[in-house]
Amino acid sequence: MPEFNVGDKMIYIFPILLLFMVVEYKVAKHDYELKDSLAGFGIALGAAFISFFSKAFTVAVIFQGVFNFFEPIRAEYLGYATIGWAWWAWILAILADDFNFYWHHRWSHTVRLLWAAHVPHHSSKNFNLAVSIRNGWFITLYKPIFWLWMAAIGFEPIMIGSALIINATYQYFLHTKLIGSLGFFGKIFNNPHVHAVHHSSNIEYLDKNHGGILLIWDHIFGTWQNTIKGVEPKYGILNSPDTYNPIKLNTHIFVDIINDVKKAKSAKEVFMYIFGPPGWSPDNSSLTAKQIQEQFYSGEMDKDAQFEGVSLSETAREKAA
């Protein structure tokens, strides 16, 4: 089996990615804010420290353990021990990885506990390559779960780890205003033009475009949203904590969950405060993204309605009028 060290591979990738960030800064300084960028680097340093250990552990222990456990089962019932290293196996691994990412990413927006771990990536009100490195510190606690089935059916753990790196590297370049929609290729592959929608807090754009490399998953599973003429993306999150402290940016939703659980009046409320969609409340004193969109598209939303952190675009105001 080929030797593979996640840390070694990332050592070569990071300087290249940093170089692109420097170039972007030189070309588009207006897209950067010093305090916000420093907060992003603080988040990135913490994430890098954690991933230095966790990624190698995930590949060598978790994925390898699942792969080994199911090997005799595959051999007996499926007639093979491993999917192997053929070129088509690599293509299948990258496709499977992208499918996994879509669901991991979508659930990270629709399950509050997972959103608490993912939210640092969306906390910036800017859209630049520095945003791409704002990875939550607690993502690694649950992300590998979505990839376990690949190891179970016989994808080599090293191949899974490589696919994860390929996907993450591709997504780095989605966070910039300097690259457009990629023309024809932009109808197939994710691009900054599409990903800007995902990072927007506009009503029309909430919880859309969760794909990693390919756009097909959003089209298939109903979360696709193209840019809308007249609806300029407003970056950031609902109910922003308005802080540049990396620790608070990684923990503020967890704190909110604890406070909400304390005031819960039933087991159902406890469950929904933790595993329900962000914004859920038993009395609708706060609303989920879906509820906000339903009110907007049904015409129930008053044109002067205020939802903290939600951008009510001119187009939305005209529809609500």
Side-chain angles (χ1 to χ4, degrees), residues 1-6 55-69 71 74 81-85 90 93 97 147-148 150-165:
M1 183 175 66
E3 292 185 0
F4 182 88
N5 187 296
V6 176
K55 286 185 177 180
F57 177 82
T58 298
V59 173
V61 178
I62 299 178
F63 291 161
Q64 191 66 54
V66 172
F67 180 88
N68 293 341
F69 179 83
E71 185 172 4
R74 291 192 301 271
T82 174
I83 290 177
W85 304 93
W90 281 97
D97 167 79
W147 276 257
L148 293 180
M150 290 182 65
I153 69 170
F155 281 101
E156 291 282 349
I158 292 175
M159 186 178 287
I160 300 173
S162 299
L164 281 162
I165 291 176

Side-chain angles (χ1 to χ4, degrees), residues 249-280:
L249 289 172
N250 272 279
T251 59
H252 68 99
I253 300 294
F254 290 107
V255 173
D256 290 344
I257 290 175
I258 292 172
N259 291 334
D260 285 337
V261 166
K262 287 180 179 178
K263 67 181 182 182
K265 298 178 180 179
S266 67
K268 178 183 176 182
E269 289 187 8
V270 170
F271 179 86
M272 291 300 294
Y273 276 132
I274 299 173
F275 299 106
W280 180 88

